[in-house]
């Protein structure tokens, strides 16, 4: 069976939304990606780093979902990456209050031998040099390398490294605001074209509660987000989306544009659960039946019959 290799931050998050506030809880791009991808019953492993302060229980949370955590390095005496953010009332935008890179600042990733030939690789949000370091260790070219990143890595200090990774991947998933920042274009259609010219053959632009767009040459596909009654905490929705997208493609082994459309639907479906509770809580308890039921709702939401004369 195909394997999924995930690199990304593993973090402590402190989150504030209009509905409440958390102390330090499990966060980071990699846990969200892995928890989401685990719904496709595929072998997956995380390459990342934490400090000695990282609770063993958090490893167990991932292992309970069959995620291989042996390549999450624990730095003796080190402190885990910390991020805190505060959402505005509309929950569509947020301010980063604090980013402490800690052990992530000088992390040298080591890809486990068993994953050096992984078919699908997700380079989740973290330092682009670490993302590059992972790509360089692979012994065979993956079927698909998917990159996710955020505005933090588009600042002057990192942008050149980020451009080097972007040039090497097949797919980039990015939110609308970041797509505009990266491309310098306001129109998302133009932004996707500019980003495609940087290297990736496929550009996925995530628009939060307004769905997601997939661009490939002249082709475009749009999937709405499921209209939810209650959104509690959007943290990790983008990573959950990337994990669902990658997990589905790993499971099916089909990386055609047509199948990527299905991957976008699965991704949106899984992301819709993530936002229902704080942090990773909802993704930890999510079961197969719930996923299936909501997928049916998705189908009804997006299907229509129209006569074209
Ligand atoms: P998302 O809401 O999908 O953008 O992802 C939020 C997650 O990204 C949080 O759990 C944070 O720990 C993590 N995060 C925030 N800033 C960074 C950063 N600069 N590098 C890596 N991960 C980050």
């Amino acid at each position: 069976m195909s394997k999924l290799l995930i690199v990304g931050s593993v973090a402590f998050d402190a989150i504030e939304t209009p509905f409440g506030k958390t102390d330090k809880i499990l966060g980071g791009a990699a846990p969200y990606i892995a928890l989401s991808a685990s719904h496709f019953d595929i072998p997956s492993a995380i390459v990342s780093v934490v400090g000695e302060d990282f609770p063993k229980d958090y490893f167990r949370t991932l292992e309970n979902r069959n995620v291989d955590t042996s390549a999450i390095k624990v730095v003796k005496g080190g402190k885990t990456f910390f991020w805190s953010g505060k959402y505005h009332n509309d929950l569509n935008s947020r301010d980063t209050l604090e980013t402490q890179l800690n052990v992530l600042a000088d992390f040298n990733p080591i890809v486990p031998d068993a994953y050096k030939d992984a078919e699908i690789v997700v380079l989740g949000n973290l330092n682009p040099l670490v993302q590059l370091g992972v790509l360089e260790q692979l012994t065979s070219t993956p079927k698909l390398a998917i990159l996710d990143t955020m505005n933090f890595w588009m600042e002057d200090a990192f942008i050149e490294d980020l451009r080097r990774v972007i040039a090497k991947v097949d797919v980039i998933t990015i939110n609308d605001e970041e797509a505009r920042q990266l491309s310098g274009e306001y129109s998302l259609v133009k932004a996707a074209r500019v980003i495609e010219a940087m290297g990736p053959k496929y550009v996925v632009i995530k628009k939060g509660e307004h769905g997601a767009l997939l661009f490939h040459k002249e082709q475009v596909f749009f999937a709405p987000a499921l209209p939810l009654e209650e959104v509690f905490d959007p943290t990790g929705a983008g990573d959950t989306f990337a994990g669902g997208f990658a997990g589905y493609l790993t499971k099916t082994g089909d990386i055609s544009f047509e199948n990527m459309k299905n991957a976008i639907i699965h991704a949106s479906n899984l992301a819709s659960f993530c936002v229902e509770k704080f942090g990773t809580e909802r993704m930890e308890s999510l079961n197969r039946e719930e996923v299936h039921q909501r997928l049916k709702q998705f189908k009804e939401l997006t299907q229509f019959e129209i006569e074209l004369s």
Side-chain angles (χ1 to χ4, degrees), residues 50-71:
V50 291
E52 220 177 339
D53 53 355
F54 194 73
K56 298 248 179 326
D57 269 0
Y58 288 172
F59 281 108
R60 247 167 268 135
T61 298
L62 296 165
E63 286 153 10
N64 286 344
R65 289 279 180 170
N66 287 326
V67 179
D68 183 340
T69 62
S70 57

Side-chain angles (χ1 to χ4, degrees), residues 8-13 26-29 32 81-83 87 94 96 99 101 104 125-127 148 150 152-153 175 178 206 234-240:
S9 55
V10 175
F12 284 134
D13 283 353
L26 171 63
Y32 284 109
F81 172 83
F82 171 73
W83 175 79
Y87 287 84
R94 71 181 177 207
T96 288
T99 302
L101 291 178
L104 204 61
N125 192 9
L126 87 183
N127 190 327
D148 193 80
M150 76 185 285
F152 183 89
W153 307 108
N175 78 26
E178 290 152 1
K206 300 170 285 186
T235 308
D239 306 309
T240 302

